Every structure is written in C-alpha cells, then in structure tokens.
Amino acid sequence: MSKKYDVIIVGGGPAGLSAAVYASRSKLKTLLLEQNRKVGGQPTTYEEMENYPGVLDTTAPELVKNFREHAEKFGTEIERGEVKDVSLDGRIKSVITKDGEEYRAKSVMIATGAEPRKLGVKGEAEFKGKGVSYCATCDADFFVDLEVVVVGNGNSAIEEAIYLTKFASKVTVIVIHEEGVMDAEKILQERAYSNDKIEFVWDSTLEEVKGEGLVDTAVLKNIKTGETTDLSCDGIFIFIGRVPRTDFVEEELELNENGYIEVNSERLDTNIPGIYAAGDVRDKYLRQVITAASDGAAAAMAAVGYIEEEDYWQENVLEAEETVLVAFWSPTNEESLEVINRLEKIDLGAKLVKIDTYKNTLVSERYDVNEIPTVLKIEDGEVVDRTVNPKLEEINEFI
C-alpha cells in the first residue's frame, strides 16, 4: 500500500534539505528520499566550508548535518530509497523505489544533484575502487605517504588536491591548459601553488590507467605534441565535472542537451505542474551549497502555493455539485473590480468563486485566461461558457 504525502523530495543534498525545511515549516506532510546511507549530498565528501555566509567555523559535513536536524525539527520524514520510476501526470504523483516501495504526493521535487563525470579512458572502470577515485574525502586515508594524481583544474579538483596533501606524500595535478592557466578560483590557485606537496603537469590529459591489481601508472598525453609518458603513482583522483542524475525522469520531464532539467527560473517548476527541480540537477550558473539551498527554498514555496491553489480549485470548483461562476480578477484592474462587485450583489443562482490572477497563475494559465475580467461558467468540472471583458449590462444575460 502506497504512503501519501503532500510533498516528496527526491534527493537529500543541500537543495533537498532546504526544501524540506521550508515545506515542513509550511505544515505540509513532507517526505525526503535519499539513496545513500547518509543525507547531505556532495558536501559530505568535502572538508572545508569557507564561503557559506554567516557560518565562520564549520566543516561541510557539519553544515549539512545541521540542515538535516533543522528539517527534522519541523517534521520532515527522511527515508532511504533510490527512485527508479515516477508517474508525474495527474493531480496525485507517484514515486517508486528500487525496493518496490511506492509513495504518492500532490507535488514532487527532484533534487538528485549530479554524479562525477567519468573520463572513459582505458583502465578507468577496471581500477575504480582499486586506486581510481572520484572523492578525496572518502578515500584520502588509503593513500597516506603515497603519491597520487589529480585530473582536473576546476574548484573541486584544486580543493581536493589541497586536501589530499594532508595524507599523500606528493600530489601531481594534470591540467589540460597551458602553464599557469586554471579554471579554479584565484584564491585556490594561490594555495595550490604555495603547497610544497603539489606539482603540475600542463597541456596534458589522462590517456590510460595501468596497474597489477592496483593502480601503479598514469599514462599522460600532451595535447600539443601527442607524446605519451608514464607517471608512476599509487592513486588517481578524477575531478572533471559532474553529470546530472536525471535518468529516472527523462521520459517525463524536459531536459536540455546535457541532461539537466529545464525549469522556470523563478519558481523552478518543470513542464509538468506540481513538479519542481532544485540544485545541481538543473542547469545553472553557480553550483554552490548556498545556491542549492536557495533553490530548495524557492521550489518548496512554489510547491506550497501550487498545493494550496490546486486544493482550493478542486474543492470549490471541480467537485462542486452546483454550477460555478469563476471570476478572474486583479485588485489593480478597475474593470475586474466592477464585475466582481456586480456579481456579489445579484442573485446568481450559482456558486461564485473569485480567482486573483496574480496569486493563482497556474489556474489562469490552465484555462487560457489572458485578459481580465474573464468569467467562466463551470458545470460538473467542465467549462460550458466563457465571457471576456463583459459589460455590466451583459452579466445578467451571461448568467
């Protein structure tokens, strides 16, 4: 038997946890599903946390631990489960995990983040977990006093390279750009350059991983000369970006060419009403804990508005036993105010429902209300008549 919620959040990183705080605090019955043993997402694999405003002395794992406690304080239920299938059309959405558990909700938020991008070079898959890693915080203690290679030159790569120097005797960073050029922030570059344990190989990529049971060689290729060289090492850490985890929704949601979920930039809603995407699973300019948390808050409040709007419409219009006159209006539109005033004063012989188009955008869009005032006559949940910009003398005739 499926379990029912107001909101289901798929993914327990900063975006999902932030959304859980806002949704639960808004008195919505909220479930957060996380496939890993611990919630927290990518920050659980980092160490330093220097740029979250107002938090001066904490680690990344400690920060997301506080996120979780905050969400649970307001009543968020957190369960472990990897989602394999979804049914997102209709008023009630369905989420099914690989274990066969089904959960249902009025709104679903996708906050599954992204996973490390693979290079796809020879030996990479063979030696994964045997010297090839994508997480320094997870695996650094296996390389105490050993020599390792880091592939990549963005923020994550350089941060992880610096972290690895706490364990490894030597860290060699493989950079695809010419000497002195990196994608990481300047402050990270300066720290890496000043670290005696870090060396750089420029204009190069990883061509192959070799070893006997465990990694012992990184084959490097110079992109200018094409020359390959063998670099002896005990481990290879690859940080060349991430790929969004969207495979389970690719048949239902609109994705861009790189697999990220397309969303409205303000409400973070997708092409399906009531479905939202937050954090690194959507294409965005800046991928940081603070922007993920911001996404979660925005998407959660959009979901709150959606549920309130849908519940009101369902109860007062679609399930109404009598004829319903729905008047779309705005407090800033004088003509619509006059129509509302007129409708409230006469015997309609029907139920009157007023819809503020500013607050109820989804209903307005669904019924193609592009001008106000607009009045719909609805019977048994179906529109049987419509009038746009009616004159006061025309209202009685329409009724």
Side-chain angles (χ1 to χ4, degrees):
M1 183 176 181
S2 62
K3 301 176 183 178
K4 298 180 181 179
Y5 295 86
D6 292 316
V7 176
I8 294 174
I9 300 166
V10 184
L17 289 168
S18 173
V21 170
Y22 276 78
S24 296
R25 188 172 180 273
S26 298
K27 304 303 181 183
L28 296 182
K29 186 178 182 183
T30 304
L31 171 69
L32 186 147
L33 286 172
E34 167 57 48
Q35 71 175 31
N36 296 317
R37 183 174 58 85
K38 293 193 302 182
V39 300
Q42 293 182 44
T44 61
T45 66
Y46 303 154
E47 181 62 25
E48 301 298 330
M49 176 55 63
E50 297 181 325
N51 57 359
Y52 198 87
V55 181
L56 302 179
D57 186 20
T58 190
T59 65
E62 286 172 345
L63 181 64
V64 290
K65 176 177 177 289
N66 291 338
F67 275 32
R68 173 177 183 151
E69 292 176 355
H70 200 166
E72 290 179 323
K73 171 186 175 182
F74 290 116
T76 298
E77 295 180 31
I78 299 177
E79 293 191 18
R80 186 176 181 184
E82 182 178 355
V83 176
K84 73 166 186 177
D85 196 15
V86 291
S87 178
L88 303 179
D89 285 328
R91 183 162 178 261
I92 302 300
K93 327 297 183 182
S94 175
V95 172
I96 302 172
T97 69
K98 285 189 174 181
D99 295 331
E101 292 288 340
E102 181 181 11
Y103 305 90
R104 305 180 73 199
K106 299 172 183 177
S107 179
V108 174
M109 185 183 308
I110 311 300
T112 42
E115 60 188 0
R117 185 183 300 278
K118 310 298 191 299
L119 268 174
V121 299
K122 185 177 180 181
E124 179 182 2
E126 177 186 350
F127 288 100
K128 180 181 178 182
K130 301 175 182 177
V132 171
S133 175
Y134 306 89
C135 175
T137 310
C138 308
D139 299 331
D141 57 351
F142 294 120
F143 298 91
V144 174
D145 295 331
L146 300 178
E147 297 185 3
V148 299
V149 166
V150 168
V151 182
N153 67 102
N155 284 349
S156 295
I158 303 307
E159 284 177 346
E160 300 285 48
I162 294 170
Y163 179 76
L164 281 164
T165 61
K166 298 178 181 180
F167 302 85
S169 60
K170 178 182 176 182
V171 177
T172 303
V173 180
I174 312 303
V175 184
I176 197 170
H177 306 305
E178 63 185 20
E179 185 171 350
V181 178
M182 287 196 287
D183 298 327
E185 296 174 354
K186 291 297 183 183
I187 189 171
L188 294 175
Q189 294 185 37
E190 292 169 0
R191 290 175 182 173
Y193 289 141
S194 64
N195 193 309
D196 293 338
K197 286 188 174 182
I198 296 179
E199 295 184 2
F200 296 89
V201 176
W202 305 97
D203 293 320
S204 299
T205 61
L206 180 66
E207 180 77 2
E208 184 180 351
V209 180
K210 292 182 177 180
E212 294 292 334
L214 298 173
V215 168
D216 61 31
T217 303
V219 181
L220 308 182
K221 180 179 180 180
N222 186 291
I223 62 172
K224 290 185 176 179
T225 66
E227 180 184 359
T228 60
T229 57
D230 288 352
L231 177 65
S232 177
C233 65
D234 302 292
I236 300 174
F237 289 80
I238 300 174
F239 305 106
I240 55 168
R242 306 183 75 83
V243 179
R245 295 188 178 105
T246 54
D247 56 309
F248 65 100
V249 294
E250 61 186 2
E251 294 184 4
E252 303 220 18
L253 297 183
E254 289 182 1
L255 309 179
N256 70 9
E257 60 184 4
N258 295 315
Y260 292 95
I261 299 175
E262 297 274 15
V263 299
N264 171 293
S265 59
E266 292 185 2
R267 294 182 304 214
L268 304 186
D269 50 340
T270 68
N271 57 298
I272 298 179
I275 309 301
Y276 303 86
D280 288 1
V281 78
R282 75 178 186 93
D283 202 3
K284 55 193 297 187
Y285 170 68
L286 182 63
R287 302 181 187 282
Q288 295 285 298
V289 172
I290 191 169
T291 61
S294 173
D295 277 4
M301 295 313 296
V304 170
Y306 165 81
I307 290 172
E308 290 177 349
E309 189 174 343
E310 288 297 303
D311 284 352
Y312 179 84
W313 185 256
Q314 188 76 22
E315 180 181 347
N316 290 279
V317 179
L318 300 184
E319 295 177 355
E321 296 182 357
E322 68 267 53
T323 298
V324 182
L325 293 181
V326 183
F328 292 86
W329 71 294
S330 169
T332 61
N333 182 283
E334 291 186 8
E335 290 81 2
S336 70
L337 288 172
E338 290 179 2
V339 169
I340 291 293
N341 184 52
R342 177 64 174 166
L343 290 172
E344 289 178 334
K345 288 182 177 180
I346 62 178
D347 182 11
L348 301 175
K351 180 180 181 179
L352 175 63
V353 171
K354 296 173 289 184
I355 298 294
D356 183 340
T357 56
Y358 178 77
K359 295 180 179 179
N360 298 274
T361 56
L362 293 173
V363 169
S364 303
E365 292 171 359
R366 187 180 310 152
Y367 288 88
D368 297 321
V369 177
N370 301 311
E371 297 181 64
I372 53 174
T374 291
V375 182
L376 304 182
K377 183 184 291 185
I378 296 181
E379 296 177 352
D380 298 324
E382 299 293 333
V383 177
V384 297
D385 204 356
R386 167 193 299 254
T387 181
V388 180
N389 293 321
K391 304 297 182 184
L392 293 179
E393 60 270 17
E394 296 173 341
I395 292 178
N396 284 338
E397 181 180 347
F398 176 76
I399 295 171

